[in-house]
């Protein structure tokens, strides 16, 4: 994800008490402090939910204080990358009710990722309940719009065996973390600059669909270089000229009539925001084209381009850097179709309008 504009948070970063006897806890934010736009993902909510997995069987999820985890140094996840996560939001509507956005889709995607990583697959009901419980336990730090409570389910392979490179981990740990977040692009809408990478893919072909940490670290060096050398916010991966996605969001082209994006395949993450924006586009009468996008079409595009994701929602792309040359997309400004679709999505998430597709799931204490 792009580096968000700096925000001044009054909440301290996780302050961990080093104590051998007591369970250390993190500094918990209060409703007042979180209202001041905390930096995305840097503020832990006071409670997390954990389920210990023994021999593939998930234990009943328990709400516990957000605190450092005890992990055996031989744990599979630490050595062989059997670690994955999800990312979704619960939004406080204008009626005060907190609702999760499409948790069923995030549950399904995490189950798919776990399967790809040969980790124990969380039962859908149990994972949904763990996410719901993490929201319920942290309702008092769920900010009002444009903030949200970000949920981060995490699954780690825990078999304590450094000889098990070629064997799946049967023990695991599932935790659902929560973090109050502000508007990712607080401080006014601005357009993003993307470096187009035409040689490297974001990840390996069989892992594009997985939400695994290894995918992100693979894109990190490229993204860091793009930032340092070109002032780019993100890298758009287009190996061989075939546009995939950025390091942490899906890529869309828009104009007054159409929304165009890559069709689902195994090479990239199937974003829940992407699917939702396409549905809203259809509802609003746009023609939706799910197909390959070649770099040549992209460079000649006369409309708008945007990134879709849980954090970015729908953010306008103004400039591409391709082979050292800067190319402006359309007017280079935030486009009206992007704004229209973004507002339509936010209105549902914030319960300002009816929820025609039953995407929102209310959570009470
Ligand atoms: C690589 C990647 N692609 C796309 C997305 C967008 O997915 P979603 O809309 O489900 O957040 C994300 C964000 O989670 C991502 O990390």
């Amino acid at each position: 994800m792009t580096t968000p504009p700096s925000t001044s948070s009054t909440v301290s970063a996780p302050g961990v008490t080093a104590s051998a006897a007591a369970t250390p806890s993190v500094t918990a934010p209060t409703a007042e402090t979180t209202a001041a736009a905390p930096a995305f993902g840097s503020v832990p909510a006071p409670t997390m939910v954990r389920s210990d997995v023994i021999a593939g069987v998930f234990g009943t999820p328990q709400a516990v204080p957000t605190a450092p985890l005890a992990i055996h140094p031989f744990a599979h996840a630490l050595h062989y990358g059997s670690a994955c996560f999800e990312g979704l939001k619960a939004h406080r509507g204008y009626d005060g009710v907190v609702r999760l956005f499409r948790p069923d889709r995030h549950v399904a995607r995490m189950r798919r990722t776990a399967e790809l990583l040969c980790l124990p697959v969380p039962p859908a009901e149990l994972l949904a309940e763990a996410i719901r419980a993490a929201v319920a336990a942290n309702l008092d730090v769920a900010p009002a719009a444009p903030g949200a409570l970000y949920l981060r389910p995490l699954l780690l392979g825990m078999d304590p065996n450094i000889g098990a490179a070629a064997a799946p981990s049967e023990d695991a740990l599932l935790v659902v973390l929560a973090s109050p977040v502000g508007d990712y692009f607080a401080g006014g809408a601005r357009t993003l600059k993307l470096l187009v990478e035409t040689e490297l893919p974001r990840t390996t072909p069989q892992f594009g669909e997985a939400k695994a940490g290894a995918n992100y670290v693979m894109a990190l060096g490229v993204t860091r270089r793009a930032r340092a050398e070109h002032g780019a916010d993100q890298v758009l991966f287009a190996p061989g000229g075939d546009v995939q996605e950025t390091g942490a969001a899906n890529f869309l082209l828009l104009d007054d009539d159409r929304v165009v994006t890559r069709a689902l395949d195994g090479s990239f993450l199937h974003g829940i925001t992407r699917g939702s924006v396409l549905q809203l586009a259809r509802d609003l009468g746009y023609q939706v084209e799910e197909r390959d996008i070649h770099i040549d079409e992209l460079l000649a595009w006369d409309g708008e381009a945007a990134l879709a994701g849980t954090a970015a929602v729908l953010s306008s792309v103004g400039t591409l850097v391709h082979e050292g040359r800067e190319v402006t997309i359309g007017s280079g400004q935030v486009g009206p179709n992007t704004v229209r679709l973004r507002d339509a999505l936010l209105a549902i998430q914030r319960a300002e309008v009816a929820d025609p597709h039953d995407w929102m799931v209310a959570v009470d204490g």
Side-chain angles (χ1 to χ4, degrees):
M1 182 44 62
T2 51
T3 305
S6 60
T7 50
S8 57
S9 167
T10 54
V11 180
S12 36
V16 177
T17 316
S19 157
T23 305
S25 67
V26 292
T27 305
T30 64
E32 289 73 39
T33 54
T34 54
F40 196 100
S42 66
V43 179
T47 303
M48 65 183 188
V49 173
R50 74 176 282 161
S51 161
D52 291 278
V53 186
I54 309 295
V57 178
F58 284 72
T60 305
Q62 310 281 346
V64 295
T66 305
L69 302 168
I71 296 189
H72 197 292
F74 280 40
H76 199 273
L78 299 180
H79 301 270
Y80 301 122
S82 54
C84 65
F85 63 97
E86 256 306 319
L88 68 161
K89 280 180 180 169
H91 301 262
R92 190 178 286 284
Y94 282 105
D95 54 2
V97 176
V98 175
R99 297 175 180 85
L100 280 160
F101 179 65
R102 309 195 76 176
D104 55 332
R105 290 303 179 108
H106 288 276
V107 164
R109 190 169 68 186
M110 189 167 202
R111 284 166 51 82
R112 171 74 182 135
T113 301
E115 191 180 290
L116 285 165
L117 268 63
C118 303
L119 273 162
V121 177
E125 271 303 306
L126 180 138
L127 179 54
E129 174 50 28
I131 294 169
R132 199 204 61 77
V135 178
N138 292 299
L139 275 182
D140 56 345
V141 297
L149 190 67
Y150 181 74
L151 286 312
R152 170 55 67 92
L154 173 71
L155 182 63
L156 303 172
M158 296 292 269
D159 275 13
N161 181 356
I162 53 174
S169 185
E170 307 224 318
D171 290 353
L173 174 64
L174 170 70
V175 284
V176 182
L177 310 171
S179 174
V181 296
D183 190 1
Y184 201 72
F185 292 107
R190 64 177 185 92
T191 55
L192 301 172
K193 185 199 271 192
L194 306 185
L195 176 84
V196 187
E197 167 59 59
T198 51
E199 283 175 18
L200 299 172
R202 183 179 77 93
T203 179
T204 52
Q206 74 271 32
F207 268 85
E209 252 188 279
K211 206 158 167 61
N215 281 348
Y216 294 83
V217 87
M218 264 189 260
L220 191 54
V222 186
T223 307
R224 221 161 62 132
R225 268 197 308 282
R227 199 166 288 152
E229 291 170 14
H230 301 281
D233 296 290
Q234 262 296 341
V235 172
L236 178 61
F237 290 90
D242 186 24
V243 175
Q244 292 179 328
E245 62 176 334
T246 66
N250 295 128
F251 183 78
L252 286 76
L253 293 174
L254 309 90
D255 64 18
D256 292 347
D257 306 309
R258 290 180 295 167
V259 178
V260 185
T261 195
R262 185 182 182 86
L264 296 179
D265 62 24
S267 73
F268 73 105
L269 195 78
H270 300 176
I272 316 300
T273 314
R274 169 195 176 279
S276 308
V277 167
L278 295 188
Q279 181 61 59
L280 293 177
R282 285 189 191 96
D283 296 350
L284 291 169
Y286 289 87
Q287 181 183 321
V288 171
E289 297 177 14
E290 293 183 78
R291 59 167 171 78
D292 288 351
I293 300 172
H294 191 267
I295 177 77
D296 294 340
E297 178 179 12
L298 173 57
L299 294 172
W301 186 254
D302 194 23
E304 303 164 32
L307 297 188
T310 293
V313 189
L314 196 59
S315 297
S316 282
V317 175
T319 312
L320 300 174
V321 184
H322 179 243
E323 294 177 346
R325 201 168 55 94
E326 293 210 356
V327 178
T328 303
I329 307 242
S331 67
Q333 304 301 313
V334 175
N337 296 291
T338 304
V339 171
R340 188 176 177 210
L341 286 164
R342 178 187 166 94
D343 287 352
L345 179 60
L346 289 175
I348 292 173
Q349 292 176 332
R350 297 171 183 173
E352 292 170 325
V353 296
D355 173 17
H357 302 288
D358 290 332
W359 287 341
M360 307 307 295
V361 177
V363 178
D364 53 34

